[in-house]
Amino acid sequence: MMRGRSRSSISRSKERANMSFFIFIMFFAVFGVIMVTEFLLLEKHNGPARSRYEELQSWDGKASHEGVTEKQLPAQAPQDAVWQPVAGTRFKFYVYSAYVERRTVAAVRVIGATKTRGADSVFCRIWLPDNRTITLRAKVQTIRENWNLKYSAVYVLCLLSKTGVKPKDTIGATVAVIATADAATPPSNLLTVIDTKPKPGIEGALHVCVKPFHFHYGRSEWLIEWMELNRLLGVSHFYMYNKTMSEQTTCLLNHYREHYGLVTLLPWNLPIISVTEIRTEGQFAAFQDCLYRSMSSAKWLLVVDTDEVLIPRRERTLPALLEGLSASYAPAKVPAAFLFRNAFFYVLWEDDPQAPAKLLTACKTRRWTTPHVLKNRSKYVVRPRHAVELGNHFTWELLPGATSVGVPKDLALLHHYRLNCEFGGMSCVKVPSTVDRTAHQWSEELMKRVTAEKKLLAKACPKIFPA
């Protein structure tokens, strides 16, 4: 009898093990199909960067110019960094910001979100500073990384060919994206056109772009450490987008914005359902806005999440690393983007007994032995002036002739302080790991900075940051 029970128990254990293995394999299979579909369909519909550029040039030559007329600017003031609807379209269509485009084609480039394929045809109406008004047909260009969901981040290109208007003439202009060229139809959105020409004195300036905060983001304790470590590493500005965050995080970021001028914090209330209709909170629209918003003031732009830190392994700062990498190429061959490999430092792994401070980056030093390959979880630093379209783990489009290259892991590594195991449960226990104490180089100074900022926050926000 006991033997029968034992055999039955063994059989059930084997069945559970087989089922777990089957689920594990199916997860990878489904994930693989999604990724392959993403890349294949995106290339099919959008083509490689060069072909998209050539297509745009060709389309630009055929742009429909509807005429130059004198029209009074609408009474309401134009806005920037606010999601506004395009009325009269069949599908959801929203626009957020507008920028001067001089490099690929002569245009006003509008950041928006709408149908991934088969988007509505739209027009641009531009009220120029010299009191002229032009109405012209626009080109809607889908941002490639959208997982084939119904809606996607898009560019709306207001192409200026044959209008006699130069890109510089649109600086400070007001633009509306409209569903009809009928002059009697009032616009449902008005955007200020922002210049993108690099300003003097930005050599070495490194800025950071972060995807929108959501789910009432509230990891304030960690965010202080993350901000201060990035500042130690040479970051001089952060672009952040707020869907929802905790009261404590709001106070924290307002402190950095008001006290140091370090943060550009923008509202992000896109009325398209996240995950089911569009990629996470329309994050790729935020990346493109960040790219063009930083273009005039940053030499380098680092695109990372708030649980990631790019750590140089020989230099003390990231600008020093980037200058060293650039110097290894001939001036005309310097890459426009550098890609860095990702390694998980799981937060649930044990603390380092040699941690020199009570900081997450000091205590969590165990990581994957073998980092991910490039373009899988990697992040990047790009020169905004040479970029056209950003992705999550790599750049989708650079200017013609510009290149991106991977950086060896012995020069720099992306430390990814992940709260949960990659595949759920305790699967991370079986991952080959090693101890990496590179971040300890900054621990002493970092602890001083974090302590000082907490004291300032206790004065600025006494109710939510107690002394």
Side-chain angles (χ1 to χ4, degrees):
M1 191 71 174
M2 292 297 292
R3 288 183 180 177
R5 290 180 181 176
S6 177
R7 288 175 182 173
S8 177
S9 177
I10 292 172
S11 177
R12 286 195 297 270
S13 296
K14 286 183 177 179
E15 288 177 1
R16 285 195 295 268
N18 290 337
M19 181 59 70
S20 297
F21 180 74
F22 176 76
I23 293 172
F24 184 73
I25 293 299
M26 285 300 297
F27 175 85
F28 272 103
V30 172
F31 183 74
V33 168
I34 290 173
M35 292 304 295
V36 170
T37 302
E38 168 80 358
F39 283 102
L40 291 181
L41 287 181
L42 285 172
E43 287 301 310
K44 177 181 177 182
H45 288 283
N46 297 310
R50 182 63 181 178
S51 66
R52 284 191 78 177
Y53 176 74
E54 290 170 347
E55 175 193 355
L56 187 57
Q57 292 282 56
S58 174
W59 199 92
D60 179 35
K62 300 173 184 176
S64 173
H65 174 224
E66 302 298 326
V68 178
T69 56
E70 298 290 336
K71 290 186 177 68
Q72 187 175 359
L73 185 67
Q76 65 268 37
Q79 300 183 78
D80 170 50
V82 175
W83 282 108
Q84 301 178 62
V86 178
T89 56
R90 295 173 300 153
F91 304 103
K92 296 177 184 179
F93 204 137
Y94 296 92
V95 292
Y96 186 76
S97 53
Y99 299 93
V100 178
E101 178 58 272
R102 298 177 175 85
R103 308 158 310 153
T104 53
V105 289
V108 170
R109 187 182 291 270
V110 177
I111 311 298
T114 191
K115 188 86 161 34
T116 301
R117 280 178 283 280
D120 294 272
S121 297
V122 290
F123 297 81
C124 295
R125 182 162 293 146
I126 306 176
W127 291 265
L128 297 163
D130 63 6
N131 294 322
R132 287 182 297 161
T133 300
I134 59 172
T135 302
L136 44 90
R137 191 176 299 278
K139 170 71 172 176
V140 179
Q141 195 173 69
T142 303
I143 302 303
R144 292 172 175 86
E145 202 161 341
N146 49 58
W147 279 34
N148 301 304
L149 293 173
K150 183 176 181 179
Y151 290 95
S152 173
V154 299
Y155 287 134
V156 179
L157 290 164
C158 309
L159 299 160
L160 299 173
S161 67
K162 301 180 182 178
T163 65
V165 176
K166 297 179 180 179
K168 66 178 182 179
D169 299 334
T170 67
I171 299 171
T174 296
V175 61
V177 177
I178 51 181
T180 173
D182 183 3
T185 303
S188 57
N189 56 84
L190 292 173
L191 299 167
T192 299
V193 181
I194 300 172
D195 195 11
T196 54
K197 184 178 181 180
K199 300 172 184 175
I202 66 171
E203 294 77 11
L206 171 63
H207 294 181
V208 163
C209 178
V210 177
K211 70 183 181 182
F213 289 107
H214 57 287
F215 292 154
H216 297 279
Y217 182 92
R219 294 186 64 197
S220 301
E221 185 83 13
W222 160 245
L223 197 56
I224 298 171
E225 181 178 341
W226 183 85
M227 295 279 290
E228 289 305 319
L229 180 52
N230 274 290
R231 293 179 69 188
L232 273 175
L233 290 169
V235 173
S236 56
H237 200 79
F238 301 85
Y239 298 90
M240 296 175 166
Y241 301 83
N242 177 25
K243 174 67 180 293
T244 56
M245 62 174 64
S246 70
E247 184 182 3
Q248 195 174 48
T249 303
T250 300
C251 181
L252 165 65
L253 293 181
N254 282 334
H255 163 72
Y256 277 102
R257 180 174 58 86
E258 296 167 4
H259 196 75
Y260 301 110
L262 281 171
V263 174
T264 295
L265 182 61
L266 303 171
W268 194 259
N269 297 303
L270 175 60
I272 299 178
I273 301 172
S274 178
V275 180
T276 58
E277 288 190 329
I278 195 169
R279 285 291 299 275
T280 311
E281 305 301 338
Q283 68 182 67
F284 294 99
F287 289 162
Q288 312 320 317
D289 179 77
C290 184
L291 168 64
Y292 288 88
R293 196 171 293 275
S294 68
M295 201 169 285
S296 65
S297 56
K299 180 177 181 180
W300 300 103
L301 183 66
L302 168 61
V303 179
V304 291
D305 292 338
T306 53
D307 60 353
E308 300 168 333
V309 183
L310 179 57
I311 299 291
R313 305 185 75 79
R314 299 180 185 179
E315 292 83 0
R316 288 287 295 176
T317 69
L318 291 172
L321 167 69
L322 295 168
E323 292 305 317
L325 290 171
S326 300
S328 64
Y329 294 85
K333 299 290 185 180
V334 176
F338 293 104
L339 279 66
F340 300 89
R341 295 175 67 178
N342 170 88
F344 285 133
F345 289 67
Y346 290 125
V347 175
L348 62 79
W349 276 341
E350 76 281 0
D351 287 350
D352 188 340
Q354 298 182 32
K358 290 183 178 180
L359 298 165
L360 188 144
T361 52
C363 294
K364 302 302 178 181
T365 55
R366 183 168 294 279
R367 66 164 172 85
W368 279 27
T369 300
T370 304
H372 289 78
V373 297
L374 290 172
K375 296 191 176 182
N376 179 12
R377 297 284 183 180
S378 59
K379 290 299 172 70
Y380 57 89
V381 176
V382 64
R383 290 189 286 171
R385 185 65 184 161
H386 297 265
V388 178
E389 182 182 329
L390 302 184
N392 196 9
H393 303 297
F394 52 88
T395 57
W396 275 107
E397 184 176 350
L398 301 170
L399 293 184
T403 60
S404 63
V405 299
V407 176
K409 63 181 181 180
D410 63 323
L411 295 182
L413 192 64
L414 185 73
H415 289 206
H416 194 158
Y417 296 97
R418 195 172 181 86
L419 287 173
N420 302 311
C421 290
E422 180 67 358
F423 307 112
M426 294 297 291
S427 59
C428 59
V429 173
K430 300 178 181 179
V431 177
S433 62
T434 186
V435 172
D436 182 343
R437 297 190 173 98
T438 307
H440 282 186
Q441 298 176 46
W442 294 271
S443 293
E444 183 178 352
E445 179 61 25
L446 179 58
M447 191 67 210
K448 292 178 182 178
R449 284 175 171 249
V450 168
T451 301
E453 289 308 315
K454 286 182 177 179
K455 289 181 179 178
L456 290 176
L457 285 164
K459 295 179 181 179
C461 316
K463 293 183 180 180
I464 53 180
F465 279 100

